[in-house]
């Protein structure tokens, strides 16, 4: 665990990422999210083909959702698309249990404390999750603030355990 997680343990039990968020993956993900470049999405899918489910006891995969306005502006929800691909590959149900109930400013460029404040009461659970081990899926983990807020919401709704899987992880200290 990183120093931040030792000082403030996250509500999720584990986190894994396919790759570090650095060149060229950072450019690829930015092209995909910011420009809707489906060629970049196909390149990301190449990374996914080699991924094995790290938690064999997982009951379902849950995307970390974007707010409906962001989905509308972007034209898609990258986490939902990523989760659908992994659910098929890992043969686990896709359970869209979370809803982002209020729009939040972009997290990019914010300090960890600002990110935490930004995400207070941002999520609500909209499906039963009692007793389930859920894998929360997102594209990038930077400080873990979004994953913490979403995992806390799922656990408060009765999930037995929440693990986090992201395509990329920002290296510590960035």
């Amino acid at each position: 665990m990183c120093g931040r997680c030792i000082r403030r343990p996250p509500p999720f039990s584990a986190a894994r990422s396919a790759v570090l968020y650095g060149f060229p993956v950072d450019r690829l993900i930015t092209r995909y999210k910011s420009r809707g470049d489906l060629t970049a999405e196909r390149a990301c899918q190449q990374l996914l083909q080699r991924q094995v489910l790290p938690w064999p006891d997982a009951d379902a995969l849950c995307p970390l959702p974007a707010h409906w306005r962001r989905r509308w502006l972007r034209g898609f929800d990258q986490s939902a698309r990523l989760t659908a691909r992994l659910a098929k590959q890992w043969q686990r149900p896709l359970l869209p249990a979370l809803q982002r109930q209020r729009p939040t400013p972009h997290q990019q460029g914010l300090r960890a404390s600002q990110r935490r404040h930004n995400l207070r009461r941002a999520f609500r659970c909209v499906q039963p999750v009692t007793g389930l081990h859920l894998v929360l899926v997102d594209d990038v983990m930077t400080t873990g603030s979004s994953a913490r807020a979403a995992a806390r919401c799922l656990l408060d709704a009765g999930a037995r355990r929440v693990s986090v899987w992201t395509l990329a992880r920002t290296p510590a200290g960035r």
Side-chain angles (χ1 to χ4, degrees), residues 4 7 39 56 72-73 75 85 89 92 101 105 109 112 131 134 136 150 157 166 172:
R4 183 182 301 133
R7 286 188 305 278
T39 303
W72 180 74
L73 287 170
R85 171 73 185 223
Q89 181 173 320
R92 292 294 186 281
Q101 60 184 359
L134 298 172
L136 186 62
T166 58

Side-chain angles (χ1 to χ4, degrees), residues 20-94:
L20 284 177
Y21 188 72
F23 184 80
V25 173
D26 57 346
R27 306 272 166 75
L28 193 63
I29 292 172
T30 299
R31 275 183 35 209
Y32 176 49
K33 284 173 66 169
S34 300
R35 298 185 203 135
D37 184 341
L38 297 183
T39 303
E41 180 184 52
R42 284 192 293 280
C44 289
Q45 289 175 353
Q46 295 297 313
L47 293 170
L48 296 180
Q49 288 178 350
R50 293 176 273 164
Q51 299 305 307
V52 176
L53 176 63
W55 306 283
D57 66 329
D59 296 303
L61 276 60
C62 176
L64 202 153
H67 187 266
W68 70 266
R69 285 185 194 143
R70 186 148 307 140
R71 283 193 316 268
W72 180 74
L73 287 170
R74 189 177 283 153
F76 63 97
D77 183 333
Q78 75 281 357
S79 293
R81 291 175 67 98
L82 179 61
T83 307
R85 171 73 185 223
L86 289 171
K88 185 176 180 181
Q89 181 173 320
W90 291 341
Q91 300 178 348
R92 292 294 186 281
L94 187 150

Side-chain angles (χ1 to χ4, degrees), residues 66-70 100-106 118-122:
H67 187 266
W68 70 266
R69 285 185 194 143
R70 186 148 307 140
R100 196 175 290 243
Q101 60 184 359
R102 63 180 182 79
T104 54
H106 285 283
N118 194 21
L119 290 161
R120 278 200 191 110
R121 294 179 297 282

